[in-house]
Structures are given as C-alpha cells and as structure tokens.
Amino acid sequence: MAIEKLIWLIPLPPVLAFALIVLFTNKNKALSHSVAIGAAFLSWLGAMYVFLSALGVEHFGEHPYESSINWLPTGETWLKIGVLIDPLSATVLFFVAWTVLMIFLYSVGYHNFGQPAGDHDHKGLPPHGATEHGHAVLSIEPMYSRFFAFISLFAFGMLTLVVSDNLLTMFVGWEIMGLCSYLLIGFWFGKESARNAAIKAFMTTRIGDVFMLLGISYLYSTTGTLSFRAIFTVEILHTLATIPSGVFGLSAAGLIGLLLFIGTVGKSAQFPLHVWLPDAMEGPTPVSAMIHAATMVSAGVYAVIRMYPLISLDEKTMTVVAFIGAFTAIFAATIAVAQNDIKRVLAYSTISQLGFMIAALGIHAYIAAVFHLVTHAFFKALLFLGSGSVIHGMEHGVLHTGNHKVDPQDMFNMGGLKNKMPITFWTFLIGGFALSGFPLITAGFWSKDEILADAWGHGHMIIFFTLAVAAFMTAFYTMRQITLTFLGEARTPEAEHAHETPWTMTVPLIILSGFAIGYGWFGIPEHFPVLGGLVPNWFHEFVGGTLAEHPEAVEFSWVPLGVSLFVAFVGLLCGWLMYRNVKSAAEDVFQISFLKNKYYFDELYDFLFVKPIYWFSENVVYKFMDMTVINGILHLFGPSTGGIGSTIRNYFDLPIINRLIGDGSADVTYWFGGKLTRIQSGRIQQYLVLSLTALFVIGGLIYFFLLA
C-alpha cells in the first residue's frame, strides 16, 4: 500500500470504533473497550509506519507525502481536500498516536473494569462504590461503553486535523474536538458543576472559532485556496504581505494571522479566554489528559505552528502573539501556586506551558515551540494520568473509611503516598521534574531551555525575564504538589489506606515516563557544553525542514543556561522547603483569596458579560421584544382580523353569498319547478298538442327568418 493511501486511513479506525460502539457493542463493556483500544492501536501502527518512513526520506520538507482529491466544485475549478505529512505533521502525529494509545489503555483501569456494578450508582454520576463479600470496593463506570465511544471520536478529530493538507478539513477536525470536549467534560452530566463546565468550555472556545472561521474566509477570498502548500508559495505569501487590510494598519497576512491566532487563544486557553480549561477538570481524568496532552490544546498551538509562514509575515501580529504567550505563562503560574486540587494545579500549569510555546512562536523561535509542544505532551499526559492514579488510590481509602466527605483530589488530604503508590510516585516525580525543567535528564529541560536561549539570543529581554520567572514558579508549584501529595506523613486516614492502581493504569505511566526523559535528547543543541554533538540534534534538522528557509540554531550563551539551571533548582528547593512540614491549608502562605479565586476572572466575566446578557435576554428580548412588540403585533392582528371577518360575514357573506346567491338561486329553481309541474300531467293528448304547437311556432319562426 502506498504511504499516501495509508495516511488517508490513519484517522479511520477511531471513527469506526465510535460507530461500532454506539450502534452494536455498547451493551458489552469488554467488547467496547477492545474495539476502542484496537482502533487506537491501528492508528498508532499506521502513524509509526508513516513517521519512520518519513525519517528515511532525504530533504523530506521539500518532498513530503501528500495526496488530494477534488471535493467541491467552485465554478470552473474545484476545492481540493487531501492529506499532507511533512516534518511538522509527522512529529505531531508521533506524539498524538502514542499519547492517545496510552490514554485509551489507562481508561480501562480508571473506570474500574472488572469491578461490580455500584449499589447506588446512576448514569451521569461518578461511581460511588459497591459491596463485595462484605467489603466496600470501587464500582465500574455506569456509562463505560459510552466513554470509549466519545474518546474514539475525540481521537478521530485530532488525527484528522493533523493529517489535513488544508485549513477546511483541519477546521472540521477542530470542531469535532470542540463537540467531544463538550460531551466529555460534561460526561457526568448529573453533576451541575460538570454541566456548567461543559457549557462554559463550549461557549468560550466558540468565540475563538468564530474569529478563526473569519480568518479562513478572508484567506480564501484573497487567495482562492485553503491548501497549505499552495498558500505557502513565495508568490502568495508576498501578495498577502503587501495587500493592506485596512484594519489597525495590518497587512492581509497580519489580519488573517491575527484572526487565526484568536482561534488558538480560545482552543489553547490563552488569556483572556483561559477560563474554561481549569473547569474542564470536572470530566474524568483520561479526558483531562486527552485535552491537555493529546488533542484539544495541542491542536490550538499546532494551528499557529502550521500557519507560521503566514503569521510571521507581519511583526505587529507577532508582537501580539509574543505578548499574549508571555503574559499567559506568568499569569497562570501565579494562580497554580494557590490551588489545592491536584488536577487544577496541572490545569493552570498547562495554560502556562502553552504560553511558553505561543511566546516562542511570537519571537520566531519556531523549532523551540514545536520541541516544547512535543515534550510537554508527553510529560503532561504522564502528570494527568498520574494524578488520576493518585485520585484512584485515594478513592480506595475513602471507601475503606466510609468518609465520603473527604475530597480525594485535595492535596491537603494526601501525604505519604510515596510508599503506598511507588510506581505512581516515581513516574509522577519524573513528569514533575520534566515540567520543572530539571537539568540534563528530563525532556522539559531541553525544550524550555531552548525557548529561553532563543529569547536571549534574539534580544527579547522582556520575554526572557518573564518566562524565566514563570519557569521558577513552575518548579516551585510542581515541588509543592509533589511534597503535599507524596512526601511526609499521611494527613488523613484515607491517605493511609490508599494503594497502587492496576497495571492498565501503571503501564502507560511507565511508558510515558520514558518519553518524558528520553525525548529531550533528540534536541540537544550542537554547541551545548560536553553533551552537544554526542547525540545529533535530529529534531532541529528534521522539523526545521518544514520551512522554506531552515532556521539557524541560536548561538550558545551561558546566561540563559545559567538562568534555566537556577530557576529549576531554586524553584524545586523552595517548594520542598516551604511545604515539607505543612499539615493543613491553614498553614499555606499562598492561600490568598485573589489567587485561590483566579484573580476573580470568573466573577468579572459574570459581571461584565453573563449577567448583562441574561438581563438583556430577559428584559429586552423576552419582556420587550417578545411579550410587548411581537405579542402586541399578534394581539393587534387578532381583534382587527376578527372585526374584518365579522364585517365580511354580516355584510357580504350572509346577505349576498348565502341569501342572494345561495338561497336566491334555490328559490328561483323552486319557483320554476313549481310552474313546470303543471305541464307534467301524464296525458299523451296534452303532450301531442304541445308538441304540435311548438312545431308550428318553431316552423313559423324559421319560415319568417328564411324569407327575411
């Protein structure tokens, strides 16, 4: 089979799994997860084959795998759709396939496959446990098959987005993921908080999507194509760079890039559309991992990277991109230090790390942004799945003690889990150190250091110091999380009775921890002391080939390296020193109201947008427009049409139609009938006389007229 044909098939298994589970296998839990995992494995197999084949192609950026077909007629031409695998999409396909497969496998254990049905479980609510042999045990998810159907569709959306060779089908995959985020964040729809979080995510990301669609429309109206390869030609890029848009002094390229970037701001939860992502933690933990690592937010950054040759043409747009990214990085990090929910810490961490990538793109650090996107996907998937493992272990403790008032996600209810859950601890430690940028041995160090090096090397001092402070805070809140969760003594009886999770959850953690360490070694700068050159900088060479001009590696400097080492070590040390003896939230100095309440952005948006919209809907749309204007018009038409109807009835229908025409014609007919009955006597002699009389009369008339 030609590789191009195989690329068309890569997204197909998950969507077929979705259809099969929904239509046929949903009553059989084992069959449903087997279909979903089997489909994910087939997509993984195809992705790995394509990726390894791409590595063997010389100058792959100039000769990518591509295939297209005519789809929609546009007059004399066709709108084409197709698939494209170049160095960028091959790299993204690699980490998407791996993380998706790991999350699918993990979900089997997370949803307690093999456990009995709950005593009082209901569809739409998290399982509350079951009684088996007189003991309380975890119960299986009531909507087990439904979950695997939805995440299969989620995976299909992301794979479609990655392999698309044009903006239109990429946007289709983009919107499929928007739907799936709504379905999965609100998976436990019996919880009001989950329902609200799903609506919030859907509505917030729609704001960005509207602007993105405007950018796509503007691009098509200007160029007549949505194909990446066609748009990124020298002629079209030059045209877009020189045509003024008439908006804020931007060129057409600048305005299109800005509109597309707003789509990313919504999808990747960048300021000011960041508010949906922390609430998305209401969904099951595998969903959180899918959103934060494999699909949703990665897709947002990928869209900017994909359109980088266009967006980078206008420096005003790039300045906006860099500012939004850097501000989001430090803004979200400050909130993360005050969160007590183990998943919410990671949620704000994701927002912050995505800010690093966006800021890198804004300062033209293309390779560094892609590198951090890939490494972040691996260690953030590891951390989210690790947090789910911790919560799972804590739920064992909750069932053991029977105290359901204890929140199994609150880190201040944990402590001492290092010995209770050793595999989860060591893998979480690897993921946390990678997030913190622990030097040399973690992938996060190499990718984050490259962003700082690019910022320093190209003279973006404000961006450099902003990201450095954000990196310090990242190391600090990560060590805070590790210390409160795993180190010290158990702070609750529930933590004392926690235990390790099943192999379906721990095996994905072990595999992902390998990537969280090893993947960084493929991007070691060539001029790095001692290690540089020992392992070829494959990542820079391969991904850099995506662009028409291969980006030059930034010159090595000790300053960003020293800063990177300092913020990682000092941040981790401070986090451990400050929280090693903390026993409760009351002792935490960062339990500051405006940090815990996320700078009151939810309240601010509620005041500025939600309440005014509700007021406008209630008072203007409903009470004024609907009840007063529309109903008033309808009520005006009612009496007037009734009066007109009465007039027509009384002065036209009754006297003319009924009496004159209807009854009158009947009366005339009746009168004639009465007169004619006299000649209907039945006497033949009378009929003969009448016939002869008629004959003479008619004959006389004919004779008269003939003589005349």
Side-chain angles (χ1 to χ4, degrees), residues 349-367:
S349 167
T350 298
I351 298 173
S352 180
Q353 295 305 304
L354 296 171
F356 272 83
M357 303 170 207
I358 297 297
L361 288 168
I363 60 173
H364 299 276
Y366 177 85
I367 302 295

Side-chain angles (χ1 to χ4, degrees), residues 57-88:
V57 177
E58 194 172 353
H59 304 297
F60 183 55
E62 300 173 13
H63 309 287
Y65 299 135
E66 56 183 331
S67 172
S68 62
I69 58 173
N70 293 333
W71 188 39
L72 294 175
T74 56
E76 297 179 354
T77 60
W78 287 82
L79 179 64
K80 293 178 176 289
I81 62 169
V83 294
L84 169 69
I85 295 295
D86 59 6
L88 172 62

Side-chain angles (χ1 to χ4, degrees), residues 663-676:
D663 295 343
S665 60
D667 292 341
V668 170
T669 304
Y670 182 77
W671 182 84
F672 273 106
K675 299 302 180 183
L676 290 172

Side-chain angles (χ1 to χ4, degrees), residues 363 449-461 463-465 554-561 563:
I363 60 173
D449 179 70
E450 189 163 348
I451 294 175
L452 293 176
D454 269 289
W456 178 268
H458 293 106
H460 299 283
M461 294 299 106
I463 301 294
F464 174 79
F465 286 109
V554 67
E555 186 177 345
F556 175 78
S557 172
W558 284 100
V559 175
L561 175 60
V563 170

Side-chain angles (χ1 to χ4, degrees), residues 228-376:
F228 299 133
R229 297 276 288 176
I231 294 168
F232 298 155
T233 58
V234 176
E235 296 79 8
I236 289 183
L237 290 177
H238 177 73
T239 301
L240 292 172
T242 53
I243 296 176
S245 69
V247 179
F248 304 130
L250 295 169
S251 63
L255 181 58
I256 292 168
L258 187 61
L259 291 170
L260 296 176
F261 173 66
I262 296 174
T264 290
V265 169
K267 210 68 157 184
S268 292
Q270 296 296 281
F271 177 87
L273 299 180
H274 63 282
V275 292
W276 70 269
L277 190 56
D279 288 0
M281 300 304 98
E282 290 292 337
T285 299
V287 175
S288 304
M290 287 284 284
I291 290 174
H292 288 255
T295 55
M296 217 39 194
V297 297
S298 296
V301 178
Y302 173 75
V304 180
I305 297 172
R306 180 84 276 175
M307 298 306 295
Y308 176 81
L310 170 65
I311 296 174
S312 62
L313 294 176
D314 196 304
E315 283 303 318
K316 292 180 181 178
T317 299
M318 294 295 279
T319 301
V320 173
V321 172
F323 171 78
I324 293 293
F327 180 79
T328 303
I330 194 167
F331 169 79
T334 60
I335 300 176
V337 300
Q339 301 303 306
N340 299 335
D341 186 305
I342 188 171
K343 287 170 66 176
R344 283 186 180 268
V345 175
L346 297 176
Y348 282 105
S349 167
T350 298
I351 298 173
S352 180
Q353 295 305 304
L354 296 171
F356 272 83
M357 303 170 207
I358 297 297
L361 288 168
I363 60 173
H364 299 276
Y366 177 85
I367 302 295
V370 180
F371 194 24
H372 198 54
L373 173 66
V374 179
T375 61
H376 175 265

Side-chain angles (χ1 to χ4, degrees), residues 630-690:
I630 296 176
N631 284 6
I633 293 172
L634 294 176
H635 293 159
L636 179 65
F637 274 108
S640 59
T641 52
I644 295 170
S646 298
T647 302
I648 293 172
R649 177 179 180 276
N650 294 328
Y651 295 101
F652 182 75
D653 188 31
L654 288 175
I656 298 175
I657 302 297
N658 285 9
R659 291 171 186 166
L660 178 61
I661 299 175
D663 295 343
S665 60
D667 292 341
V668 170
T669 304
Y670 182 77
W671 182 84
F672 273 106
K675 299 302 180 183
L676 290 172
T677 56
R678 295 178 182 179
I679 65 173
Q680 301 294 324
S681 62
R683 295 177 181 178
I684 296 176
Q685 297 88 337
Q686 183 180 345
Y687 294 163
L688 183 59
V689 171
L690 289 173

Side-chain angles (χ1 to χ4, degrees), residues 544-552:
T546 308
L547 301 179
E549 295 184 9
H550 200 292
E552 293 185 5

